[in-house]
Amino acid sequence: MANKEEAEKLKNEANKLFTEKHYAGAVNLYTKAIDLYPENAVYFANRSFAHIKLEEYGSAVADASRAIEVDPSYAKGYYRRGDAYFMLGKFKDAIKDLKTAAKVAPKDPDLRKKLAECEKAIKRIKFEEALSTPDSEITHVSDTIDLSTMPVEDSYKGPRMQEDGAGGYTITEEFVLAMLEEFKEQRLIHRRFAFQILLQARQLLRELPSLVDIDIPADRHFTVCGDVHGQYYDLLNIWQLNGNPGPDNPYLFNGDFVDRGSFSVEVILALLAWKVLHPSCMHLTRGNHESHSMNKIYGFDGEVKHKFSGLMLDVFREVFNWLPLAFVLNRKVLVLHGGLFSKDGVSLDDLRKVERNREPPDEGLMCECLWSDPAPEQGRQASKRGVGLQFGPDITQQFLKDNGLELVVRSHEVKEEGYEVAHNGLLVTVFSAPNYCDQMGNKGAFVKFNGSDMVPHFTTFEAVPHPDVKPMAYASSFLSWGM
């Protein structure tokens, strides 16, 4: 009885932390409650919900399954597992659980809405499969775009690229800087210029290998930034703090440029514009959110369609498919979005050979580049996310030794200080979206290397104000019901 009472007290404290959006702390207290009294399905379902908020969907599925084992009639167990499956893009599994929950709680209005959204997602997938074309017959949308059919009307008052005298336009630094200011005032550029940025960026990215080697001279520096996630005004702040990209100030942005934040279009066009203007001074790694499945759920699809068109969204997808998966700086530092691999002996040449022009698969090197996370425990474990894996300090040490490297830099995870050094100093996480989704309270950070020694130097920064457009404004409506 004493254990049961103490467990209930811990659950109530955890609920309070959850309400205050301290999700990691809530997980810890729910875990203590479960350790004292594991016969209560509510504790597992609540911890599952906290894992969902932390984007740890694999752990959320496991906890919801435990809740169902403890009490097969507990609707919230199926509800939470359905939520987690939906976030993983496993819509058939999600709808099965949500239907079971609906039988137990038939009057829940949020549940009915989620079921409808799930059914719509499945219909969309079936429709896309029916229209799919064999690879050998695919015509890329980007190859069909004719910029000459997009005249810039006299009524357009925004920034203009420089006319080239032959009916076309050339991107200039003056245009890019004016575009950044236009976006800051919540105005868009003409679609002609947006398409040109995309098409020129795609051509540049196609010419790169899946792993890119970068040499940094001894008297120069190089800045690596982590996730930005559509937080445009924080992106501008990075350049305010550290200078605009250019020949003397190169950058690498390490994936997850879009989704969640509601200025993702502005973020990705800004990054790609600098890439087109200074190809050797702006480098971009693919993140797990530069993918069709994530964009449908977390907002980029809806935002592009709202601000431009479905045609532009198709071109964005083709650009994302050509983003490199990893970079090596001065033959010492590996930079990739997620982490390391499920098997020993992976070489840099293996990464160079990955055929990346595709949507990310559910397993293999490309998937792990985008999704994996470090863990403090030795060896390898199943991922809390439900995709990729967790890898320990021994895995990092052996990989670096095998490949003659000194450090792994990755992103993919919110860190309270904007960065974290782990694995005995051999691995760095850098995250550049402060106060992530307007609720996490974290700092952002970037890391700078001097070519002479390649020692990481960190700069942290706070979030800056932005217009009153909430994160996830264009995301799947599924996320706003009972979440």
Side-chain angles (χ1 to χ4, degrees), residues 128-174:
E128 289 172 353
E129 288 175 347
L131 293 178
S132 64
T133 306
D135 288 349
S136 60
E137 300 175 22
I138 287 177
T139 299
H140 294 290
V141 174
S142 301
D143 296 331
T144 70
I145 301 295
D146 182 357
L147 294 175
S148 68
T149 64
M150 302 178 190
V152 182
E153 303 84 358
D154 292 339
S155 59
Y156 171 70
K157 303 303 181 185
R160 292 172 177 257
M161 292 184 182
Q162 182 176 298
E163 294 187 44
D164 63 7
Y169 293 90
T170 301
I171 193 168
T172 62
E173 185 159 331
E174 181 183 16

Side-chain angles (χ1 to χ4, degrees), residues 41-53:
V42 174
Y43 301 165
F44 289 105
N46 285 10
R47 191 171 69 176
S48 176
F49 199 7
H51 280 305
I52 288 172
K53 292 295 188 180

Side-chain angles (χ1 to χ4, degrees), residues 147-436:
L147 294 175
S148 68
T149 64
M150 302 178 190
V152 182
E153 303 84 358
D154 292 339
S155 59
Y156 171 70
K157 303 303 181 185
R160 292 172 177 257
M161 292 184 182
Q162 182 176 298
E163 294 187 44
D164 63 7
Y169 293 90
T170 301
I171 193 168
T172 62
E173 185 159 331
E174 181 183 16
F175 168 80
V176 174
L177 294 175
M179 180 187 76
L180 298 183
E181 288 300 312
E182 196 78 351
F183 289 165
K184 190 175 179 180
E185 298 302 320
Q186 293 185 267
R187 296 189 293 264
L188 297 171
I189 58 172
H190 195 280
R191 67 187 185 111
R192 165 70 171 76
F193 302 133
F195 272 113
Q196 180 164 333
I197 290 168
L198 286 170
L199 295 178
Q200 288 186 238
R202 175 176 175 260
Q203 187 57 42
L204 288 167
L205 294 170
R206 287 178 66 175
E207 295 170 2
L208 299 174
S210 291
L211 181 147
V212 180
D213 292 280
I214 295 177
D215 291 321
I216 307 165
D219 61 345
R220 298 296 179 93
H221 65 262
F222 189 93
T223 302
V224 179
C225 299
D227 303 35
V228 179
H229 273 300
Q231 297 185 197
Y232 178 70
Y233 296 84
D234 294 307
L235 173 63
L236 292 183
N237 188 41
I238 291 173
W239 292 330
Q240 182 71 31
L241 294 169
N242 196 57
N244 285 331
D248 295 323
N249 196 30
Y251 282 85
L252 193 165
F253 280 81
N254 195 27
D256 280 12
F257 321 118
V258 302
D259 281 340
R260 294 199 175 273
S262 295
F263 300 95
S264 292
V265 165
E266 289 83 352
V267 165
I268 188 60
L269 285 176
L271 294 171
L272 292 175
W274 283 118
K275 178 65 181 176
V276 171
L277 184 65
H278 298 302
S280 63
C281 306
M282 174 59 77
H283 307 280
L284 304 170
T285 320
R286 190 173 191 174
N288 60 303
H289 277 267
E290 278 69 58
S291 67
H292 187 188
S293 60
M294 292 291 102
N295 296 160
K296 285 190 296 186
I297 298 171
Y298 292 99
F300 188 62
D301 266 37
E303 186 181 342
V304 177
K305 290 175 182 176
H306 175 80
K307 293 178 177 178
F308 284 102
S309 66
L311 177 66
M312 187 174 289
L313 179 61
D314 289 338
V315 177
F316 268 117
R317 288 174 182 157
E318 293 179 1
V319 172
F320 290 166
N321 283 353
W322 283 111
L323 288 165
L325 303 178
F327 289 79
V328 171
L329 313 180
N330 276 12
R331 296 168 295 283
K332 292 182 178 181
V333 178
L334 174 71
V335 184
L336 73 177
H337 180 72
L340 300 182
F341 311 104
S342 57
K343 61 182 181 180
D344 295 328
V346 174
S347 70
L348 298 181
D349 278 341
D350 291 331
L351 299 181
R352 290 186 181 96
K353 294 173 185 174
V354 172
E355 295 290 340
R356 72 183 188 278
N357 181 27
R358 57 179 296 188
E359 288 298 319
D362 293 332
E363 58 185 13
L365 295 183
M366 182 174 176
C367 170
E368 290 158 6
C369 279
L370 304 183
W371 281 97
S372 293
D373 295 295
E377 300 83 11
Q378 304 283 23
R380 297 179 173 94
Q381 301 90 38
S383 171
K384 292 180 180 180
R385 299 176 188 268
V387 188
L389 72 145
Q390 294 187 128
F391 58 96
D394 54 326
I395 305 300
T396 300
Q397 182 176 9
Q398 191 61 50
F399 175 84
L400 292 174
K401 181 180 178 181
D402 290 347
N403 288 284
L405 299 170
E406 296 177 1
L407 182 69
V408 174
V409 176
R410 42 90 62 182
S411 300
H412 195 40
E413 287 183 286
V414 182
K415 296 299 177 183
E416 188 172 342
E417 292 299 313
Y419 74 95
E420 182 180 79
V421 180
H423 290 188
N424 303 312
L426 299 178
L427 182 140
V428 164
T429 297
V430 59
F431 192 86
S432 302
N435 194 25
Y436 180 44

